[in-house]
């Protein structure tokens, strides 16, 4: 799924929104704590923390939750999380990249493997599917930021590598190592973006035209995302308009 695929919209409209919102806040707070613990607790001096706080704000995480997550990193009782990436194949051979933060590697690996197996999929070794994706920075601006040409010129001047404009907004891509620099440069010309984050961008998404396959895949992704240790799940698929409507 591209960062701006129809799947993102479906996620947004799903039920269980209160529970999902609480879980999302928890995952974003965990990223803030880890980023602050790894570097400076001042977002202006810590690019990863700055982007984590920006992402949290874009998802309407309250300021007190953000502040508490940063303060937690300063305490001696803050958990030590390990960042791990799992890779595998879901229904219909769709490649999935699962990013996790865990304080118990064995527990998380066992859970993720179980989710893949129960869905009829298969968890592979690290590197087994990530070659089908590019690790890039993704910066999103609303359509109100300017027309496509204006945004394209600003993106080129900021050092971005690609821009896609659709009816949801402007999606600007750059090298993963340049995300903070490009994001900062764009703020000077276009104002503050809605989101700025690192993603796994599928090189050639598989279009899903079958509702049953889509349902099985969504069930697996839901199960993975419901796990407290899992931060992000990305797949190399996109949905046809018809399948998206049925879901």
């Amino acid at each position: 799924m591209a960062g701006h695929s129809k799947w993102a919209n479906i996620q947004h409209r799903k039920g269980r929104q209160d529970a999902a919102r609480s879980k999302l806040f928890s995952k974003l707070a965990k990223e803030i704590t880890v980023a602050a613990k790894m570097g400076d607790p001042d977002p202006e001096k810590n690019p990863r923390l700055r982007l984590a706080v920006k992402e949290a704000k874009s998802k309407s995480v309250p300021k007190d939750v953000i502040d508490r997550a940063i303060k937690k990193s300063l305490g001696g009782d803050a958990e030590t999380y390990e960042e791990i990436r799992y890779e595998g194949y879901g229904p219909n051979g769709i490649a999935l990249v699962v990013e996790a933060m865990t304080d118990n590697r064995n527990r998380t690996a066992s859970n993720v493997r179980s989710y893949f197996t129960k869905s009829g999929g298969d968890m592979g070794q690290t590197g087994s599917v990530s070659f089908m994706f590019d690790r890039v920075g993704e910066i999103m601006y609303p359509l109100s930021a300017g027309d496509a040409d204006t945004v394209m010129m600003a993106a080129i001047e900021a050092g971005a590598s690609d821009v896609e404009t659709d009816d949801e907004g402007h999606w600007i891509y750059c090298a993963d190592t340049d995300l903070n620099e490009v994001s900062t440069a764009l703020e000077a010309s276009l104002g503050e973006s809605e989101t700025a984050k690192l993603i796994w961008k599928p090189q050639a998404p598989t279009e899903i035209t079958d509702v049953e396959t889509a349902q099985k895949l969504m069930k697996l992704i839901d199960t993975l995302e419901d796990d407290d240790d899992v931060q992000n799940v990305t797949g190399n698929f996109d949905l046809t308009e018809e399948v998206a409507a049925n879901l």
Side-chain angles (χ1 to χ4, degrees), residues 58-99:
S58 77
K59 297 296 190 294
S60 303
V61 177
K63 185 176 185 299
D64 64 312
V65 173
I66 294 173
D67 291 343
R68 196 157 58 241
I70 293 175
K71 287 176 183 174
K72 187 176 180 181
S73 71
L74 303 175
D77 58 343
E79 298 95 331
T80 299
Y81 293 108
E82 183 178 5
E83 294 180 275
I84 307 175
R85 185 177 80 240
Y86 302 100
E87 302 177 25
Y89 292 94
N92 208 37
I94 297 297
L96 295 173
V97 175
V98 182
E99 297 171 278

Side-chain angles (χ1 to χ4, degrees), residues 1-3 5 7-16 19-28 30 59 86 96-101 108 111-112 115-116 197 216-235 237:
M1 72 195 138
S5 74
W7 166 231
N9 287 338
I10 291 167
Q11 273 185 309
H12 194 66
R13 293 195 297 264
K14 284 193 307 181
R16 302 182 299 134
R21 185 182 179 85
S22 174
K23 195 172 284 289
L24 175 64
F25 282 10
S26 176
K27 291 176 190 287
L28 291 168
K30 184 191 287 187
K59 297 296 190 294
Y86 302 100
L96 295 173
V97 175
V98 182
E99 297 171 278
M101 278 186 188
T108 309
N111 287 346
V112 171
Y115 304 147
F116 271 102
K197 58 188 176 181
K216 288 179 181 177
L217 182 61
M218 296 310 153
K219 185 176 180 181
L220 170 58
I221 291 175
D222 279 347
T223 304
L224 285 163
E225 291 183 335
D226 277 343
D227 190 291
D228 290 339
D229 295 334
V230 173
Q231 292 290 100
N232 298 295
V233 181
T234 310
F237 69 94

Side-chain angles (χ1 to χ4, degrees), residues 189-241:
S189 55
L190 298 177
E192 189 166 353
S193 62
E194 286 201 0
T195 66
K197 58 188 176 181
L198 291 172
I199 65 163
W200 291 94
K201 191 171 188 286
Q203 294 168 357
T206 299
E207 188 170 67
I208 296 180
T209 58
D210 175 59
V211 174
E212 186 178 350
T213 298
Q215 289 174 334
K216 288 179 181 177
L217 182 61
M218 296 310 153
K219 185 176 180 181
L220 170 58
I221 291 175
D222 279 347
T223 304
L224 285 163
E225 291 183 335
D226 277 343
D227 190 291
D228 290 339
D229 295 334
V230 173
Q231 292 290 100
N232 298 295
V233 181
T234 310
N236 69 336
F237 69 94
D238 205 350
L239 307 173
T240 63
E241 293 283 357

